[in-house]
Amino acid sequence: MEQDNTHNKSGEGGGFISEDWLALILGLVIFGLSLMSFKGTDILGWGAKTGVWIDPGKAITAISSKYQTVAGEITKIDGQKITVKKKDGKEASVTVDGDVSALKVGDKFEKKGMSSIMSVALTYLFALAIMTIGAVALGANVPKFMFGFTLAFWLSYLCWFMGHFAYIAATKDQAAKFGIPWAMSMSGEFGFILALILGLIIGNFFPGLANLMKEAARPELYIKTGIVIMGAGLGIKAAESFGLASNIMFRGFCAIVEAYLIYWAVVYYISRKYFKFSREWSAPLASGISICGVSASIATGGAIRARPIVPIMVSSLVVIFVAVEMVILPFIAKFYLWTEPLVAGAWMGLAVKSDGGAIASGAITDALIRAQALDAAGINYAEGWITMTATTVKMFIDIFIGVWAFLLAYIWVAKIDVKPGQKVDAAEIWHRFPKFVIGYVLTFVILVVMCWPAAKVMGPAEKEAAELKAAVTSIETKMKATTDATALAALKIELDGVKAQQKAVNDTMKEPKSFLSKAKSASSQGDVFRGLFFLLCFFTIGLVSNFKKLMEEGLGKLAAVYCISLFGFIIWVGLFISWLFFHGVKPPTI
């Protein structure tokens, strides 16, 4: 799970907190600030949102409408609230300060918002401030961290910006809107791949530049913080489709049980039988390859009291192979699994051996498959369900790392080493437990609990509203087709009754709809920083992937086991298990 073994995860240079706990705290702080939207205050509303672009000047806007430029023709005036119809045909509402008596429906209206440069600058300054506080808590070299983070931020954001270029990111339906003859349909998340590639180039060919960012190259800190924030958005989606979310969690649990029972045993057997590794090497290697990368290998190494060099060598391999998987697997899923999106999400969770790699791969797969499904079949899947599936599977794997370490510790103490007095108790399980998962669960559960009452009302109400709308259309069509006065009178009475029902249903939805709108606004503001931390994770994964140095340390034989196990059966068994448990389960459509 951990990829960056450059830094001490338990606090370094006088630090007083581990990276795991820090990610939990930072994620919850950002989540807490985003919740102020429920009070009508968009504290993070200035966060920079990057959209698909042809004109670079229009690529970036503030995430909250309160900070955006709103322009168009007035369609409604309700006190200080003005509703306008924009050029794209969509309506937007804005609250205006001062006298509005001179305004009337049909007038042109414009409210200037925050500039894109200011939005990005504030996003950078906030991220720098909160991560610098984290660097102090970790005991890092603060000036070097700030300088390295600044470089990493702007280089990563450049990749994110370029990844949203219309020829790269636009889907087929968007291409027409932008007036371009073709597009790669990669979606904006292709910026993650660009960031990874740039990081790999710098890390392997420009070591001097990579060294300047070394103090800020903490991919697991970024991804864990992002995952804590991500729980909120997934919580809203789960509340809106609770039956499907619980289904995913159950299937995810079943899938990881299969993974533990199959993956670990086979990798351990191959290491012992065919590569003649000792138990000290085989157990951490099996855990690192089959379960969750560095954390699993370190937990296993500690449980069996292996020498420190053993999990460190495995950790080095994780960095390389996760980078390879992240580049390859999402694109395989795009072309061959777009008809089974949740199979693809579970596959990322089972096959990619790090939290950072699995969740970020899930995010890319989410974007790629949604774009492919929309282009190929006109199906518009709701965003986030593929990512949630990958995350759920990966989180179950994380949760059981401590239990697995406990089991292996017991086996080694009781059956293999049999050293008097050596034991591992419940404290060992807690020590191995990935603390950031607590934050992910908290943000997820809090938003589910908050949104569930409103979502429970909205679901049936929206269905009824759609049925009533269809009924109105049907009645109006009949009225146009008849000239019989008696029939028209009867249809008019029926239409009035249906419209009365429509009004009642709309009134029922008004309050829960407003609540869910605030929830989504809060989630979207936090999601700006979730995306940013994912982006920094990709970039810094590349930075720490020094292929030449790792080969000089003698990783050839270990790499052979890793390669054979991963590409020989883990990826394909993971695909089969994913298919077995998630085949036919679809995300909601929009």
Side-chain angles (χ1 to χ4, degrees), residues 67-240:
Y67 293 88
Q68 295 173 359
T69 295
V70 177
E73 181 181 312
I74 298 176
T75 58
K76 183 180 179 182
I77 301 175
D78 183 11
Q80 300 299 120
K81 187 177 180 181
I82 308 295
T83 302
V84 300
K85 186 176 183 180
K86 300 187 293 183
K87 287 183 178 180
D88 59 7
K90 295 181 180 179
E91 288 192 337
S93 297
V94 59
T95 301
V96 179
D97 296 326
D99 185 18
V100 297
S101 59
L103 298 175
K104 61 182 183 296
V105 173
D107 285 352
K108 297 294 182 183
F109 176 84
E110 181 176 5
K111 179 187 78 72
K112 287 289 185 182
M114 180 178 287
S115 70
S116 57
I117 294 175
M118 179 61 72
S119 180
V120 175
L122 289 175
T123 301
Y124 156 69
L125 290 172
F126 178 81
L128 176 65
I130 197 167
M131 297 311 296
T132 298
I133 292 171
V136 172
L138 288 174
N141 185 315
V142 173
K144 287 185 177 180
F145 178 88
M146 293 179 70
F147 183 75
F149 183 86
T150 298
L151 283 177
F153 176 94
W154 291 109
L155 289 171
S156 299
Y157 207 88
L158 175 62
C159 295
W160 188 241
F161 183 79
M162 293 307 301
H164 282 77
F165 184 44
Y167 280 96
I168 295 174
T171 54
K172 289 179 181 178
D173 61 317
Q174 291 175 320
K177 184 181 76 172
F178 286 105
I180 56 178
W182 59 271
M184 295 169 63
S185 297
M186 290 296 183
S187 83
E189 277 81 358
F190 190 71
F192 289 140
I193 298 297
L194 294 179
L196 175 63
I197 292 171
L198 180 60
L200 287 168
I201 291 171
I202 293 173
N204 288 277
F205 299 104
F206 300 94
L209 180 57
N211 194 54
L212 291 175
M213 292 180 276
K214 181 179 179 181
E215 196 69 20
R218 301 168 183 267
E220 291 295 332
L221 173 61
Y222 300 131
I223 198 67
K224 290 174 182 177
T225 305
I227 291 170
V228 172
I229 300 168
M230 184 177 68
L234 298 180
I236 296 172
K237 292 179 174 67
E240 291 181 319

Side-chain angles (χ1 to χ4, degrees), residues 32 89 290:
S290 63

Side-chain angles (χ1 to χ4, degrees), residues 485-509:
T486 304
L488 279 172
L491 288 170
K492 179 68 168 58
I493 294 171
E494 184 181 358
L495 180 62
D496 289 342
V498 173
K499 285 187 173 181
Q501 292 179 57
Q502 264 190 322
K503 184 179 183 303
V505 171
N506 288 334
D507 289 343
T508 301
M509 290 194 297

Side-chain angles (χ1 to χ4, degrees), residues 451 453-459 461 505-519:
C451 295
K456 188 168 60 172
V457 172
M458 285 295 294
V505 171
N506 288 334
D507 289 343
T508 301
M509 290 194 297
K510 190 172 182 180
E511 189 174 331
K513 187 175 183 179
S514 174
F515 186 89
L516 288 176
S517 177
K518 290 178 181 178

Side-chain angles (χ1 to χ4, degrees), residues 42-53:
D42 291 348
I43 291 180
L44 302 177
W46 37 259
K49 174 187 176 183
T50 306
V52 180
W53 59 273

Side-chain angles (χ1 to χ4, degrees), residues 260 264 268 279 282-288 291 296-297 299-305 400-417 422 424 428:
Y260 272 95
W264 198 94
Y268 184 83
R279 292 189 180 94
S282 298
L285 187 58
S287 294
I291 300 176
S297 63
T300 299
I304 70 170
R305 301 299 186 261
F400 281 90
I401 287 175
V403 177
W404 197 251
F406 179 84
L407 291 174
L408 291 176
Y410 174 79
I411 292 170
W412 250 251
V413 171
K415 304 295 181 182
I416 297 176
D417 290 341
Q422 184 180 19
V424 179
E428 183 70 14

Side-chain angles (χ1 to χ4, degrees), residues 308-323:
I309 188 62
V310 176
I312 288 174
M313 293 285 276
V314 175
S315 303
S316 301
L317 283 172
V318 171
V319 174
I320 295 176
F321 282 97
V322 164

